[in-house]
mmCIF file with all atom_site columns, all heavy atoms in Angstrom:
data_model
loop_
_atom_site.group_PDB
_atom_site.id
_atom_site.type_symbol
_atom_site.label_atom_id
_atom_site.label_alt_id
_atom_site.label_comp_id
_atom_site.label_asym_id
_atom_site.label_entity_id
_atom_site.label_seq_id
_atom_site.pdbx_PDB_ins_code
_atom_site.Cartn_x
_atom_site.Cartn_y
_atom_site.Cartn_z
_atom_site.occupancy
_atom_site.B_iso_or_equiv
_atom_site.pdbx_formal_charge
_atom_site.auth_seq_id
_atom_site.auth_comp_id
_atom_site.auth_asym_id
_atom_site.auth_atom_id
_atom_site.pdbx_PDB_model_num
ATOM 1  N N   . GLU A 1 398 ? -17.330 18.001 -12.774 1.00 97.00 ? 420 GLU A N   1
ATOM 2  C CA  . GLU A 1 398 ? -18.252 19.129 -12.697 1.00 97.00 ? 420 GLU A CA  1
ATOM 3  C C   . GLU A 1 398 ? -19.103 19.123 -11.415 1.00 97.00 ? 420 GLU A C   1
ATOM 4  O O   . GLU A 1 398 ? -19.478 20.132 -10.893 1.00 97.00 ? 420 GLU A O   1
ATOM 5  C CB  . GLU A 1 398 ? -19.177 19.129 -13.917 1.00 97.00 ? 420 GLU A CB  1
ATOM 6  C CG  . GLU A 1 398 ? -19.918 20.482 -14.035 1.00 97.00 ? 420 GLU A CG  1
ATOM 7  C CD  . GLU A 1 398 ? -20.963 20.531 -15.118 1.00 97.00 ? 420 GLU A CD  1
ATOM 8  O OE1 . GLU A 1 398 ? -21.109 19.498 -15.863 1.00 97.00 ? 420 GLU A OE1 1
ATOM 9  O OE2 . GLU A 1 398 ? -21.666 21.518 -15.244 1.00 97.00 ? 420 GLU A OE2 1
ATOM 10 N N   . LEU A 1 399 ? -19.379 17.875 -10.922 1.00 96.00 ? 421 LEU A N   1
ATOM 11 C CA  . LEU A 1 399 ? -20.081 17.815 -9.678  1.00 96.00 ? 421 LEU A CA  1
ATOM 12 C C   . LEU A 1 399 ? -19.397 18.546 -8.530  1.00 96.00 ? 421 LEU A C   1
ATOM 13 O O   . LEU A 1 399 ? -20.007 19.038 -7.603  1.00 96.00 ? 421 LEU A O   1
ATOM 14 C CB  . LEU A 1 399 ? -20.326 16.331 -9.276  1.00 96.00 ? 421 LEU A CB  1
ATOM 15 C CG  . LEU A 1 399 ? -21.283 15.508 -10.148 1.00 96.00 ? 421 LEU A CG  1
ATOM 16 C CD1 . LEU A 1 399 ? -21.325 14.075 -9.637  1.00 96.00 ? 421 LEU A CD1 1
ATOM 17 C CD2 . LEU A 1 399 ? -22.673 16.080 -10.075 1.00 96.00 ? 421 LEU A CD2 1
ATOM 18 N N   . PHE A 1 400 ? -18.059 18.634 -8.643  1.00 97.00 ? 422 PHE A N   1
ATOM 19 C CA  . PHE A 1 400 ? -17.278 19.294 -7.581  1.00 97.00 ? 422 PHE A CA  1
ATOM 20 C C   . PHE A 1 400 ? -16.961 20.744 -7.952  1.00 97.00 ? 422 PHE A C   1
ATOM 21 O O   . PHE A 1 400 ? -16.787 21.585 -7.043  1.00 97.00 ? 422 PHE A O   1
ATOM 22 C CB  . PHE A 1 400 ? -16.005 18.481 -7.304  1.00 97.00 ? 422 PHE A CB  1
ATOM 23 C CG  . PHE A 1 400 ? -16.276 17.110 -6.888  1.00 97.00 ? 422 PHE A CG  1
ATOM 24 C CD1 . PHE A 1 400 ? -16.444 16.051 -7.780  1.00 97.00 ? 422 PHE A CD1 1
ATOM 25 C CD2 . PHE A 1 400 ? -16.542 16.831 -5.520  1.00 97.00 ? 422 PHE A CD2 1
ATOM 26 C CE1 . PHE A 1 400 ? -16.756 14.816 -7.388  1.00 97.00 ? 422 PHE A CE1 1
ATOM 27 C CE2 . PHE A 1 400 ? -16.877 15.577 -5.103  1.00 97.00 ? 422 PHE A CE2 1
ATOM 28 C CZ  . PHE A 1 400 ? -16.991 14.559 -6.022  1.00 97.00 ? 422 PHE A CZ  1
ATOM 29 N N   . SER A 1 401 ? -16.820 21.056 -9.221  1.00 96.00 ? 423 SER A N   1
ATOM 30 C CA  . SER A 1 401 ? -16.489 22.432 -9.569  1.00 96.00 ? 423 SER A CA  1
ATOM 31 C C   . SER A 1 401 ? -17.722 23.336 -9.460  1.00 96.00 ? 423 SER A C   1
ATOM 32 O O   . SER A 1 401 ? -17.614 24.532 -9.171  1.00 96.00 ? 423 SER A O   1
ATOM 33 C CB  . SER A 1 401 ? -15.860 22.531 -10.989 1.00 96.00 ? 423 SER A CB  1
ATOM 34 O OG  . SER A 1 401 ? -16.771 22.109 -11.958 1.00 96.00 ? 423 SER A OG  1
ATOM 35 N N   . ARG A 1 402 ? -18.891 22.774 -9.648  1.00 94.00 ? 424 ARG A N   1
ATOM 36 C CA  . ARG A 1 402 ? -20.151 23.530 -9.616  1.00 94.00 ? 424 ARG A CA  1
ATOM 37 C C   . ARG A 1 402 ? -20.302 24.248 -8.258  1.00 94.00 ? 424 ARG A C   1
ATOM 38 O O   . ARG A 1 402 ? -20.587 25.417 -8.221  1.00 94.00 ? 424 ARG A O   1
ATOM 39 C CB  . ARG A 1 402 ? -21.342 22.670 -9.958  1.00 94.00 ? 424 ARG A CB  1
ATOM 40 C CG  . ARG A 1 402 ? -22.496 23.478 -10.603 1.00 94.00 ? 424 ARG A CG  1
ATOM 41 C CD  . ARG A 1 402 ? -23.702 22.608 -10.835 1.00 94.00 ? 424 ARG A CD  1
ATOM 42 N NE  . ARG A 1 402 ? -23.442 21.459 -11.673 1.00 94.00 ? 424 ARG A NE  1
ATOM 43 C CZ  . ARG A 1 402 ? -24.008 20.238 -11.512 1.00 94.00 ? 424 ARG A CZ  1
ATOM 44 N NH1 . ARG A 1 402 ? -24.860 20.057 -10.502 1.00 94.00 ? 424 ARG A NH1 1
ATOM 45 N NH2 . ARG A 1 402 ? -23.715 19.250 -12.291 1.00 94.00 ? 424 ARG A NH2 1
ATOM 46 N N   . PRO A 1 403 ? -20.217 23.504 -7.111  1.00 92.00 ? 425 PRO A N   1
ATOM 47 C CA  . PRO A 1 403 ? -20.437 24.223 -5.867  1.00 92.00 ? 425 PRO A CA  1
ATOM 48 C C   . PRO A 1 403 ? -19.386 25.313 -5.610  1.00 92.00 ? 425 PRO A C   1
ATOM 49 O O   . PRO A 1 403 ? -19.665 26.292 -4.973  1.00 92.00 ? 425 PRO A O   1
ATOM 50 C CB  . PRO A 1 403 ? -20.317 23.132 -4.790  1.00 92.00 ? 425 PRO A CB  1
ATOM 51 C CG  . PRO A 1 403 ? -19.851 21.899 -5.449  1.00 92.00 ? 425 PRO A CG  1
ATOM 52 C CD  . PRO A 1 403 ? -20.098 22.065 -6.935  1.00 92.00 ? 425 PRO A CD  1
ATOM 53 N N   . LEU A 1 404 ? -18.153 25.122 -6.132  1.00 93.00 ? 426 LEU A N   1
ATOM 54 C CA  . LEU A 1 404 ? -17.180 26.201 -5.984  1.00 93.00 ? 426 LEU A CA  1
ATOM 55 C C   . LEU A 1 404 ? -17.547 27.440 -6.800  1.00 93.00 ? 426 LEU A C   1
ATOM 56 O O   . LEU A 1 404 ? -17.386 28.580 -6.328  1.00 93.00 ? 426 LEU A O   1
ATOM 57 C CB  . LEU A 1 404 ? -15.764 25.706 -6.386  1.00 93.00 ? 426 LEU A CB  1
ATOM 58 C CG  . LEU A 1 404 ? -15.181 24.547 -5.544  1.00 93.00 ? 426 LEU A CG  1
ATOM 59 C CD1 . LEU A 1 404 ? -13.834 24.176 -6.055  1.00 93.00 ? 426 LEU A CD1 1
ATOM 60 C CD2 . LEU A 1 404 ? -15.091 25.005 -4.031  1.00 93.00 ? 426 LEU A CD2 1
ATOM 61 N N   . ARG A 1 405 ? -18.066 27.190 -7.972  1.00 92.00 ? 427 ARG A N   1
ATOM 62 C CA  . ARG A 1 405 ? -18.502 28.305 -8.834  1.00 92.00 ? 427 ARG A CA  1
ATOM 63 C C   . ARG A 1 405 ? -19.674 29.056 -8.155  1.00 92.00 ? 427 ARG A C   1
ATOM 64 O O   . ARG A 1 405 ? -19.733 30.264 -8.099  1.00 92.00 ? 427 ARG A O   1
ATOM 65 C CB  . ARG A 1 405 ? -18.975 27.818 -10.207 1.00 92.00 ? 427 ARG A CB  1
ATOM 66 C CG  . ARG A 1 405 ? -17.771 27.331 -11.055 1.00 92.00 ? 427 ARG A CG  1
ATOM 67 C CD  . ARG A 1 405 ? -18.047 27.472 -12.561 1.00 92.00 ? 427 ARG A CD  1
ATOM 68 N NE  . ARG A 1 405 ? -16.759 27.346 -13.223 1.00 92.00 ? 427 ARG A NE  1
ATOM 69 C CZ  . ARG A 1 405 ? -16.226 26.170 -13.623 1.00 92.00 ? 427 ARG A CZ  1
ATOM 70 N NH1 . ARG A 1 405 ? -16.906 25.103 -13.466 1.00 92.00 ? 427 ARG A NH1 1
ATOM 71 N NH2 . ARG A 1 405 ? -15.061 26.123 -14.217 1.00 92.00 ? 427 ARG A NH2 1
#
Side-chain angles (χ1 to χ4, degrees):
E420 193 185 358
L421 289 177
F422 299 91
S423 62
R424 209 184 303 141
L426 294 181
R427 291 207 164 89

